[in-house]
Amino acid sequence: MKVVSNFEGDTPGGISVNLGFDSYGGDDDDTVLFYGFNTAFNSLADNYPNSKKILLDLWSPCEFTVGDMFPDRNNATMFDRFDKVLNICPYTMEWYNNTEGNNKHSYICHPHPIDADISIVDSVLDATKSYEVCYFGGLHGKDHHECLSHMRDFNYRFISQQNYDGVTDLNVGINEKLDLVAKCRVSVCYNFVPLREDMIRCIKAYDRWEENEAFKHIDDLSVMPQLKARFFEAAICGAVNLVKRDSWNVIDRHMEPNIDYIPFDNNDELPSLIKEVNDNFDKYRKMRRSAFEKSLLYGPKETFREIDRLAHI
């Protein structure tokens, strides 16, 4: 399978840029994988008229929240040139198949960029931890701000590409980010996207938007689901993941609560949970090992194998 990438529309230093799928591809262009945000919109796919074209969609369902994403919002034209689309949102995948009247779309877990293997698990679990808790990402809603407020009471790291008040590590490269996470006992994760009013208006501009399960709470809770690769990154780095429950819990398709991570319902639980894990860190070694082992399934090499399998279904 040949790999074609273009990252001009992606976050600099983000997940897509660091997956390294190009190194796994070959010269055979009977099947071609396109990844990187711009490959969905530019004419690269037109260079392979006789190939089976696969698009890796690592942004769904966020495409619905941007007003100028499609020339015609009720016709997902960016997918027309592809034979298969792999979506990271299972509900959006189903919605596309239902509204398009085909089976072009398949679900794939959001991959992480760490090419690790089981041989290093003990060294990861035994590594010295310097910090009590971390969060890496942006402050996009109330939950994220509350998380930061609670973390300030601990020896914390807040890693972000935006210069928020409270950021400890600004715009660091991926290797430095992972080194920092590997020094933390706890990582906090939210697998949903807070929605502004303008984003909700964009969603509602689509015909049959209400049939997408991802949008069932845009009016009452103003959120939609999106599984974050940072869960897997933290697990591979040996941290205990604290994951806030939501109305979808997409993470439970891949991990088991209280086996691979600690769930919580309210941000006010964070101080006691962070303290508990730090005070009794050895008690969570089995959880950390389980999460590490399962996260290996979603690294670059295994994900590329899954893409190749789904491409030929």
Side-chain angles (χ1 to χ4, degrees), residues 126-137:
D126 291 337
T128 301
K129 303 292 187 181
S130 306
Y131 306 107
E132 293 173 296
V133 61
C134 70
Y135 168 73
F136 49 111

Side-chain angles (χ1 to χ4, degrees), residues 74 95 98-100 203 206-212 215:
N74 296 315
W95 184 87
N98 291 336
T99 57
E100 294 175 6
I203 290 170
Y206 285 82
D207 287 342
R208 300 171 64 181
W209 66 268
E210 66 278 3
E211 296 176 22
N212 189 334
F215 303 141

